[in-house]
Amino acid sequence: AQSVAQPEDQVNVAEGNPLTVKCTYSVSGNPYLFWYVQYPNRGLQFLLKYITGDNLVKGSYGFEAEFNKSQTSFHLKKPSALVSDSALYFCAVRDMRGGSYIPTFGRGTSLIVHP
Amino acid sequence: EAGVAQSPRYKIIEKRQSVAFWCNPISGHATLYWYQQILGQGPKLLIQFQNNGVVDDSQLPKDRFSAERLKGVDSTLKIQPAKLEDSAVYLCASSSHSGGVTDTQYFGPGTRLTVL
């Protein structure tokens, strides 16, 4: 069965510093990986996805993620954090089940960027 | 384009009562998803529709939860009867294609259910 782990409940970083939010996955087939962000009282918003190709994926709001097959990881990164990046971040994987690609989400990581 | 609409935004009920949530996906989106997000956890897929057919409902507690998408557009999710552990945010999402691996999901704001 597919699964996603986000080992950190919370990540704290100072504004202007680089940030990393970690995600590891387990799938039976090829990994199809996603990052979403959730602001308070709002629905999840898509940031980026890895399907195939270049291991470094660029997404919205200056975020990027690095796919590492040997470490089964898909960490989210940003070179310079903003206070407005403070939110809840979810990693997700889609795997084939019953003929369709079914999504599974991690438990989320709260990112807090300090001024 | 208009986003995914959900109503109500908040609902408080007592256990053993019934409740229904409504979702209107982005126009033209073939695939619709219902998720349950319990506080402190990630969204858990309850049911996935493609048009008006069910693609996956393996995690839907079918003894009390039901969902329909009769005309392949909007959808309702019902809980009957509700339990305390059903307290959660219920998210609806839609995507434009067949629910394939490259599909991007667009989420609604969610309905926060509190069961007393």
Side-chain angles (χ1 to χ4, degrees):
Chain A
Q2 64 191 34
S3 65
V4 173
Q6 294 182 243
E8 303 155 317
D9 288 338
Q10 185 171 301
V11 170
N12 290 275
V13 64
E15 187 174 32
N17 283 359
L19 69 88
T20 299
V21 182
K22 297 180 180 177
C23 171
T24 59
Y25 65 89
S26 174
V27 295
S28 55
N30 292 321
Y32 303 109
L33 299 155
F34 300 77
W35 275 102
Y36 289 83
V37 59
Q38 187 174 35
Y39 297 101
N41 298 316
R42 296 177 64 178
L44 279 75
Q45 297 177 36
F46 169 77
L47 278 179
L48 50 80
K49 62 185 175 185
Y50 172 82
I51 304 301
T52 186
D54 195 347
N55 289 344
L56 185 64
V57 179
K58 295 189 181 297
S60 306
Y61 312 121
F63 283 93
E64 57 189 26
E66 186 171 11
F67 171 67
N68 188 316
K69 188 172 183 178
S70 63
Q71 297 184 6
T72 61
S73 68
F74 188 56
H75 299 334
L76 181 70
K77 300 181 179 183
K78 188 173 183 180
S80 179
L82 299 172
V83 172
S84 58
D85 292 330
S86 299
L88 200 53
Y89 290 81
F90 292 94
C91 182
V93 64
R94 296 188 81 135
D95 199 9
M96 178 69 74
R97 189 162 75 216
S100 297
Y101 286 97
I102 306 302
T104 299
F105 282 77
R107 60 182 294 169
T109 298
S110 177
L111 172 66
I112 299 175
V113 181
H114 303 277
Chain B
E1 66 183 355
V4 177
Q6 290 188 249
S7 67
R9 291 295 310 276
Y10 304 92
K11 189 74 175 178
I12 300 174
I13 62 172
E14 295 188 349
K15 60 183 179 182
R16 290 187 290 274
Q17 286 186 324
S18 301
V19 64
F21 312 125
W22 175 81
C23 172
N24 192 25
I26 293 173
S27 178
H29 278 195
T31 307
L32 186 147
Y33 314 76
W34 281 104
Y35 290 89
Q36 180 191 58
Q37 185 177 15
I38 293 173
L39 186 65
Q41 299 181 20
K44 181 181 81 172
L45 182 69
L46 293 176
I47 189 166
Q48 180 175 333
F49 291 96
Q50 183 178 337
N51 297 310
N52 60 352
V54 176
V55 172
D56 186 274
D57 63 357
S58 58
Q59 299 189 99
L60 186 73
K62 298 180 184 64
D63 58 334
R64 298 184 300 106
F65 286 65
S66 64
E68 60 183 15
R69 194 185 184 199
L70 292 177
K71 297 182 179 179
V73 181
D74 57 350
S75 175
T76 56
L77 176 69
K78 297 180 182 178
I79 306 175
Q80 180 181 2
K83 293 185 175 181
L84 295 177
E85 59 261 36
D86 298 333
S87 294
V89 176
Y90 290 85
L91 297 168
C92 180
S94 68
S95 62
S96 59
H97 297 109
S98 60
V101 68
T102 61
D103 263 13
T104 295
Q105 297 179 72
Y106 296 86
F107 285 81
T111 296
R112 184 177 298 275
L113 173 66
T114 301
V115 182
L116 303 176

